[in-house]
Amino acid sequence: MKDLERARWRCRRGLLELDIVLQRFMDEHYAHLDKTELRQFEMLLDFPDNDLWEMIVLRKDTEDRNLQSVLHLLQTI
Amino acid sequence: MAIARRKFDAVIVGAGGAGMRAALQLSEAGLKVAVLSKVFPTRSHTVAAQGGIAAALGNVTEDNWHWHMYDTVKGSDYLGDQDAIEFMCRQASEVVYELEHFGMPFDRLENGKIYQRPFGGQSQNFGGAQATRSCAAADRTGHAMLHTLYQRNVRANTQFFIEWMGLDLIRDEEGEVSGITALDIETGEVMALQAKATLFATGGGARIFSASTNAFINTGDGLAMAARAGIPLEDMEFWQFHPTGVYGVGVLISEAVRGEGGYLLNKNGERFMERYAPHAKDLASRDVVSRALTTEIKEGRGCGRDGDHLLLKLDHLGADIIKMRLPGIREIAMKFANADPILEPIPVAPTAHYMMGGIPTNYYGQVVAPYKTGPEEVVQGFYAVGECACVSVHGGNRLGTNSLLDIVVFGRAAGNQIIKDLKKNPHHKQLSADATDKALTRLARLDGQNNGESVAQVGDALRKTMQAHCGVFRFADMLKQGVGKMSEIAERAKHTGIKDKSRVFNTARVEALELDNLVEVAVATMVSAEARTESRGAHARDDFPQRDDDKWLKHTLYFSEDQRLDYKPVRLKPLTVESFPPKPRTY
């Protein structure tokens, strides 16, 4: 129930840069994610703001291969 | 309608640095504390603070809290209250060492002491050489502070209500506060949280401007709740702007770009800063550059369809320099302006950064208002700290690294004051039957409204009006029109409609409620700015370019009910030292 709204709210962050990128992601990609990708997205949202931003702008690598496909969408948005 | 009630010793709204520092003080004293937050605590906007926290530790160069006090008074353009400023600067070292003991990972010197770096506005010997006063944890000081305080609070059994939004203050006929009405975003449930002490730490509200560096959550909720409950808002005309934010989104483009040789252009391709600052040009101070941008836009030389921004050109620096020295800026430009600065200029406009005004308090964190006999009567049961409060330590303008200090000093002080007050008043006050009516009426209005105007549309009009009429450089005619326009927008906001009428995770409803709050903050700002006919600190007027201490060395108080203004004197007398009398402010 209301997964979209729930996800949209969890895209509210402490950093404006993330607010904007995540909002764009919700508008452009969220509806097309499959189950695995939805889980990836949830996992990414659980990262602290600074870590997530550095992963998005490729300043920081993640060893977790499982996150790559959604992270790639965030990096290219 | 009967709604659920719960009782706590203290209810805190907001889980940024200020709210969590206060909560920790209370929970460790054994009190039952609830902290409400719209988002997970470590995602509060404190996380965006990078510069560090000011404290005259003297670890790198000689320093003294009294010098820090002088810088803060001067930075405030003499509008800061000198008792509160002395209190803050004197306690700075102690609160920083306390954070260190809590486990906050400060950068260190080789001798093991906390590393300190210089920052703008910090001086030795009352305006002498540069001081080295900022304590930092890499470029993640806010992040480190939030995580440290959150862990400690969990250990101290602070009860967090995550994804909850405060709706309205519960204030009785005697003017005393006994809790809040709040909304659980997840379930849509509305609850009365009854408390012997209610503390607001809801942060700033710079989302009233279309260009802002603030996160989306910064909608001034605490200020609006206080204003609706009859409490005035202080010094709302004072907002700190940064000259170069990415046009349309407000994300900060740091001064480093202009330092490396980037410069600004208007729609005629003219390097206009040469006219405003023939010598320093694009490297003039923030105030000068911000005002120049606003003047170019006002006089019709702005770029784009709406003529509302300017261009920051870097491509002449060459790809190598941009990639090597400004990689972060290039990332931001490409992501948010869709412009690769190697090939094309970045569209920019001044962006709102920090709110100096707020809910009036004394340096114990108690909310004070002229509601009984004196101008600064304590509002029993109500406290505010951090950006939502106006103590006032920042006065007309805030110094970098003083806001992280503000939140921990006054978060702790408010905690201590609440402990003291609860010993005197150990019982909950009886809630009146209509205690939650204000909030429920607003919700019922939204539920019942059909065919209302969209929240996004009204919000957009609000932000554009504030940016154009009450931005970084202010003009008499624009302010006057702005007051009228904001009244119309406030009226439109009373008739917004949402399609989703359900309870569970109704984010449309939350955004409509946030718009109510933005309206309160925006009207307060516009009305206060229109009335202050001088330039002081961050409030710069075209028609009154000078500071006027004879008429305006006083704090503004704005009352929401009838949009009335009142004023109260600046507290020029410090606690123990001599007062710093107003002098021309030059750097």
Side-chain angles (χ1 to χ4, degrees):
Chain A
M1 271 275 286
K2 293 232 163 167
D3 289 337
L4 173 82
E5 285 80 0
R6 199 181 300 264
R8 193 179 281 283
W9 191 253
R10 293 193 178 148
C11 292
R12 290 275 204 117
R13 312 297 290 204
L15 291 179
L16 175 65
E17 289 85 342
L18 278 179
D19 274 339
I20 297 168
V21 166
L22 294 171
Q23 187 184 45
R24 285 182 192 164
F25 180 88
M26 289 302 297
D27 293 341
E28 289 174 32
H29 296 300
Y30 186 81
H32 312 298
L33 300 182
D34 63 29
K35 263 193 175 161
T36 321
E37 289 168 327
L38 281 172
R39 219 169 21 244
Q40 278 185 26
F41 185 51
E42 297 258 310
M43 283 164 71
L44 284 164
L45 288 183
D46 280 341
F47 275 87
D49 277 32
N50 285 300
D51 293 338
L52 182 54
W53 176 246
E54 290 186 356
M55 283 154 67
I56 289 173
V57 295
L58 301 163
R59 225 179 294 152
K60 182 177 177 166
D61 286 331
T62 166
E63 280 117 53
D64 194 341
R65 295 286 119 203
N66 291 327
L67 297 174
Q68 291 306 326
S69 83
V70 174
L71 187 56
H72 181 72
L73 291 174
L74 285 166
Q75 284 162 345
T76 49
I77 203 162
Chain B
M1 188 178 122
I3 63 167
R5 286 182 184 185
R6 289 185 66 176
K7 282 185 181 177
F8 296 90
D9 291 319
V11 167
I12 295 176
V13 189
M20 288 211 285
R21 183 64 193 83
L24 184 60
Q25 204 71 0
L26 297 169
S27 290
E28 286 189 341
L31 297 178
K32 189 180 171 192
V33 183
V35 178
L36 276 67
S37 181
K38 290 199 288 188
V39 298
F40 195 77
T42 52
R43 288 175 208 154
S44 303
H45 191 52
T46 305
V47 83
Q50 297 181 342
I53 175 167
L57 305 179
N59 285 354
V60 175
T61 54
E62 192 190 347
D63 209 352
N64 187 309
W65 67 262
H66 200 189
W67 301 347
H68 181 191
M69 178 183 173
Y70 168 81
D71 293 338
T72 305
V73 172
K74 178 182 171 191
S76 81
D77 218 353
Y78 299 90
L79 192 69
D81 287 328
Q82 296 193 21
D83 54 351
I85 294 173
E86 178 178 342
F87 183 87
M88 178 176 82
C89 297
R90 264 178 179 277
Q91 291 213 346
S93 299
E94 196 182 321
V95 296
V96 165
Y97 291 135
E98 202 172 51
L99 287 169
E100 184 184 27
H101 292 148
F102 290 167
M104 185 162 154
F106 284 108
D107 296 341
R108 290 183 185 282
L109 295 161
E110 272 183 18
N111 64 12
K113 288 185 178 171
I114 293 174
Y115 169 80
Q116 297 189 278
R117 63 168 79 129
F119 214 89
Q122 299 174 345
S123 77
Q124 294 180 301
N125 263 315
F126 313 106
Q130 174 72 44
T132 309
R133 192 174 292 145
S134 172
C135 314
D139 61 351
R140 291 181 165 211
T141 313
H143 168 97
M145 183 187 285
L146 276 182
H147 280 261
T148 304
L149 290 174
Y150 179 64
Q151 297 303 337
R152 296 281 297 199
N153 267 291
V154 168
R155 215 192 306 165
N157 289 322
T158 299
Q159 197 171 338
F160 285 98
F161 287 68
I162 294 166
E163 294 176 342
W164 279 66
M165 180 186 187
L167 297 179
D168 271 301
L169 205 55
I170 299 174
R171 190 176 187 217
D172 63 21
E173 279 175 5
E174 286 90 60
E176 297 186 15
V177 170
S178 42
I180 60 155
T181 314
L183 171 76
D184 180 357
I185 297 171
E186 166 114 49
T187 63
E189 183 193 6
V190 178
M191 191 187 277
L193 292 111
Q194 209 178 334
K196 298 170 201 165
T198 303
L199 182 139
F200 279 4
T202 55
R207 297 306 309 173
I208 62 167
F209 296 100
S210 48
S212 164
T213 64
N214 281 197
F216 291 174
I217 46 176
N218 288 24
T219 50
D221 300 346
L223 280 80
M225 285 190 271
R228 283 193 294 267
I231 288 159
L233 300 180
E234 181 174 342
D235 292 343
M236 290 303 293
E237 59 272 47
F238 295 96
W239 292 82
Q240 188 176 73
F241 286 77
H242 195 286
T244 54
V246 175
Y247 169 65
V249 291
V251 175
L252 201 72
I253 298 276
S254 93
E255 264 109 350
V257 172
R258 282 170 287 136
E260 290 292 343
Y263 54 81
L264 291 154
L265 296 175
N266 63 18
K267 76 168 182 188
N268 305 322
E270 182 201 2
R271 194 174 169 184
F272 61 88
M273 279 313 299
E274 291 176 339
R275 266 189 283 120
Y276 296 88
H279 194 69
K281 295 177 190 165
D282 296 85
L283 291 177
S285 70
R286 276 186 195 180
D287 295 23
V288 173
V289 180
S290 293
R291 278 169 222 168
L293 263 79
T294 312
T295 307
E296 289 298 297
I297 290 167
K298 176 143 199 285
E299 292 179 355
R301 292 186 292 275
C303 306
R305 196 192 55 184
D306 295 332
D308 55 357
H309 61 273
L310 293 133
L311 298 173
L312 180 57
K313 179 177 150 67
L314 289 76
D315 58 288
H316 57 282
L317 301 177
D320 291 346
I321 291 209
I322 292 173
K323 282 184 186 164
M324 191 170 56
R325 297 206 198 132
L326 303 165
I329 303 293
R330 186 170 175 235
E331 278 160 11
I332 284 174
M334 287 166 64
K335 236 178 173 49
F336 298 115
N338 211 11
D340 183 349
I342 290 175
L343 306 170
E344 56 193 320
I346 311 170
V348 293
T351 181
H353 190 50
Y354 186 87
M355 174 181 82
M356 272 73 73
I359 304 166
T361 70
N362 59 23
Y363 58 83
Y364 301 113
Q366 296 170 301
V367 175
V368 290
Y371 78 102
K372 280 181 181 163
T373 50
E376 295 188 312
E377 289 273 331
V378 171
V379 179
Q380 295 299 331
F382 191 28
Y383 308 78
V385 285
E387 193 171 339
C388 77
C390 186
V391 182
S392 150
V393 285
H394 308 302
N397 214 342
R398 176 191 65 102
L399 291 186
T401 70
N402 262 354
S403 48
L404 284 185
L405 178 62
D406 168 10
I407 65 180
V408 282
V409 166
F410 295 105
R412 184 174 81 147
N416 287 335
Q417 184 62 37
I418 290 171
I419 292 167
K420 215 190 273 178
D421 289 348
L422 261 51
K423 282 186 184 143
K424 279 186 287 174
N425 305 305
H427 304 293
H428 285 97
K429 276 198 83 175
Q430 193 76 27
L431 290 193
S432 66
D434 62 355
T436 57
D437 281 7
K438 192 177 280 154
L440 294 174
T441 307
R442 285 199 301 132
L443 289 173
R445 200 282 296 165
L446 262 181
D447 285 342
Q449 182 88 40
N450 290 316
N451 305 317
E453 193 178 358
S454 93
V455 169
Q457 210 172 330
V458 180
D460 203 39
L462 177 147
R463 285 182 284 273
K464 283 200 170 130
T465 302
M466 291 308 293
Q467 190 80 22
H469 291 260
C470 200
V472 67
F473 193 25
R474 294 162 177 177
F475 302 84
D477 55 335
M478 294 294 276
L479 286 166
K480 197 153 180 268
Q481 285 171 22
V483 171
K485 280 194 172 188
M486 274 313 305
S487 294
E488 285 166 30
I489 289 166
E491 202 48 43
R492 281 163 66 187
K494 288 182 191 158
H495 304 283
T496 52
I498 49 172
K499 290 196 188 86
D500 185 354
K501 307 280 188 188
S502 66
R503 288 165 65 87
V504 174
F505 250 103
N506 188 340
T507 50
R509 181 154 80 155
V510 172
E511 283 164 10
L513 294 165
E514 286 179 330
L515 177 65
D516 288 348
N517 297 339
L518 290 169
V519 167
E520 289 287 351
V521 177
V523 175
T525 300
M526 188 74 85
V527 171
S528 304
E530 203 261 337
R532 185 176 282 268
T533 50
E534 67 158 351
S535 290
R536 179 187 299 271
H539 173 66
R541 282 182 68 131
D542 170 61
D543 51 344
F544 292 92
Q546 304 299 323
R547 196 177 79 199
D548 182 351
D549 289 329
D550 290 338
K551 276 197 201 144
W552 288 104
L553 187 59
K554 57 188 180 183
H555 295 294
T556 305
L557 293 175
Y558 164 86
F559 295 80
S560 170
E561 200 175 28
D562 43 6
Q563 298 191 4
R564 174 171 58 92
L565 292 175
D566 195 357
Y567 295 91
K568 68 175 184 182
V570 175
R571 298 174 80 92
L572 295 169
K573 198 175 170 328
L575 301 171
T576 65
V577 294
E578 293 271 310
S579 179
F580 291 109
K583 281 196 299 191
R585 193 174 60 133
T586 51
Y587 285 100

